[in-house]
């Protein structure tokens, strides 16, 4: 029987930083860097591999406020001026702001790494996590973890079982040979998902760097560029970024788009095949009577 831990309670919006806000704070005051930690919420969780670092949380250790006589936004900013730009908008907030992570967050924060993060819904994302990000509820955590457990939970039967349990789950015990194969398949799935994410992120990053005016962001369609035909990509860049791809550069981007899409869907097919192989091995295990 394995215990499922809850992610930390959803923090106040004032405590959540974008990457740009976090970088700005740390550049201004390097001493505040340990207080800002990456977070993962249910909307950012991806199957098999999930990126970290796009959103950050101001997370004061338990007892920090008392030790440093911090009882208001002004006190916190006085001690850490790097936080002032983000927090100034909340100086007059009527509701209390919990600067320190609550005691209920301790199990999630102390869970050993690597761990498995579990999403919500009928087909929850199950992801391998070897980083130091803070998971936010309703994400659940299983730790300590290994790739065999990852394969069992990420299988179709494992996902169905997760929908039926809250605090604990009984996992089947695969024979040694099957366990080894499951671990290999799960590690492959994590690597493929990681490559697929890196591919999509790099293409999107180059679009924004080459054609996005300062301060602009990609539209939802451009973030999912592999779903667009090239003519649709051209139109969306012009519409969303208001900076069309110049005609002399369009052949280069057309080739890059074709190659990127082909690689994306090849990786998707590879991931589907890995998941099918995991299901073939794990379905009999989940159907066997619990020991």
């Amino acid at each position: 029987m394995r215990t499922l831990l809850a992610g930390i309670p959803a923090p106040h919006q004032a405590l959540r930083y974008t990457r740009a806000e976090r970088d700005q704070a740390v550049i201004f005051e390097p001493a505040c860097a340990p207080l800002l930690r990456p977070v993962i919420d249910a909307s950012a969780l991806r199957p098999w591999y999930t990126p970290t670092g796009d959103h950050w949380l101001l997370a004061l250790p338990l007892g920090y406020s008392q030790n440093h006589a911090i009882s208001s936004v002004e006190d916190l900013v006085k001690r850490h001026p790097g936080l002032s730009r983000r927090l100034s908008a909340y100086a007059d907030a009527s509701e209390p702001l919990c600067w320190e992570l609550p005691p209920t967050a301790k199990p999630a924060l102390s869970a050993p790494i690597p761990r498995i993060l579990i999403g919500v819904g009928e087909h929850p994302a199950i992801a391998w996590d070897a980083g130091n990000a803070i998971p936010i509820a309703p994400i659940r955590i299983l730790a300590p973890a290994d790739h065999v457990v990852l394969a069992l939970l990420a299988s179709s039967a494992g996902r169905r079982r997760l929908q039926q349990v809250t605090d604990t789950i009984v996992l089947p015990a695969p024979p040694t040979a099957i366990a080894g194969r499951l671990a290999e398949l799960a590690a492959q799935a994590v690597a493929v998902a990681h490559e697929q994410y890196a591919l999509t992120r790099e293409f999107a990053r180059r679009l924004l760097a080459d054609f996005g005016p300062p301060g602009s962001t990609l539209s939802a369609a451009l973030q999912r560029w592999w779903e667009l035909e090239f003519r649709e990509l051209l139109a969306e860049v012009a519409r969303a970024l208001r900076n069309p791809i110049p005609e002399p550069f369009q052949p280069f981007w057309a080739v890059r788009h074709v190659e990127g899409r082909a690689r994306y869907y090849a990786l998707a097919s590879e991931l589907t095949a890995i998941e099918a192989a995991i299901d073939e091995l794990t379905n009999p295990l989940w159907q066997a009577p619990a020991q």
Side-chain angles (χ1 to χ4, degrees):
M1 182 176 294
R2 304 294 293 271
T3 299
L4 300 173
L5 304 173
I8 71 166
H12 191 283
Q13 186 59 33
L15 310 183
R16 300 190 68 165
Y17 283 60
T18 64
R19 173 180 280 277
E21 289 170 335
R22 181 264 177 194
D23 291 348
Q24 183 182 58
V26 171
I27 289 172
F28 186 83
E29 185 204 356
C32 71
L35 304 179
L36 294 163
R37 290 183 56 181
V39 296
I40 301 174
D41 60 20
S43 66
L45 192 64
R46 298 163 56 95
W48 296 108
Y49 166 82
T50 196
T52 60
D54 285 339
H55 292 88
W56 299 71
L57 179 67
L58 175 58
L60 302 187
L62 193 63
Y64 191 92
S65 297
Q66 182 177 357
N67 293 340
H68 299 288
I70 296 172
S71 59
S72 67
V73 174
E74 290 83 358
D75 292 339
L76 184 58
V77 169
K78 183 177 180 180
R79 179 167 182 81
H80 292 291
L83 305 175
S84 61
R85 181 161 183 168
R86 170 68 177 159
L87 297 182
S88 59
Y90 298 91
D92 299 324
S94 57
E95 71 274 26
L97 301 181
C98 182
W99 305 113
E100 295 183 4
L101 293 176
T104 52
K106 186 175 180 179
L109 296 175
S110 59
I113 296 171
R115 56 196 173 175
I116 295 169
L117 304 182
I118 303 164
V120 295
E122 294 184 1
H123 192 72
I126 313 292
W128 182 255
D129 178 43
N132 69 336
I134 301 176
I136 298 177
I139 288 177
R140 291 181 291 175
I141 307 160
L142 191 148
D146 57 38
H147 285 94
V148 177
V149 173
L150 176 63
L152 291 170
L153 292 179
S155 66
S156 298
R159 294 174 193 273
R160 289 193 296 270
R161 187 64 58 88
L162 282 168
Q163 294 177 25
Q164 304 166 7
V165 301
T166 54
D167 299 327
T168 60
I169 185 170
V170 178
L171 299 175
T176 302
I178 293 179
R181 179 57 178 156
L182 287 175
E184 179 183 0
L185 287 169
Q188 289 175 2
V190 172
V192 170
H194 188 180
E195 181 183 348
Q196 191 180 57
Y197 170 76
L199 170 73
T200 60
R201 186 64 177 266
E202 176 58 20
F203 188 97
R205 187 190 69 82
R206 287 307 319 166
L207 273 180
L208 190 60
D210 289 4
F211 308 111
S216 62
T217 58
L218 294 179
S219 65
L222 289 179
Q223 290 175 13
R224 300 184 65 81
W225 54 266
W226 60 92
E227 296 178 350
L228 303 175
E229 299 293 339
F230 186 64
R231 66 180 183 279
E232 296 171 329
L233 180 75
L234 289 176
E236 184 63 15
V237 168
R239 185 200 68 80
L241 300 179
R242 302 189 180 187
N243 188 18
I245 299 177
E247 190 170 340
F249 296 104
Q250 289 181 13
F252 167 80
W253 277 96
V255 171
R256 189 170 193 173
H257 184 246
V258 167
E259 293 177 348
R261 291 184 85 197
R263 184 57 182 160
Y264 176 91
Y265 287 114
L267 291 168
S269 296
E270 187 175 347
L271 199 54
T272 298
I274 293 172
E275 291 171 342
I278 288 175
D279 277 352
E280 184 177 358
L281 291 173
T282 56
N283 281 341
L285 300 173
W286 280 109
Q287 293 168 5
Q291 298 296 318

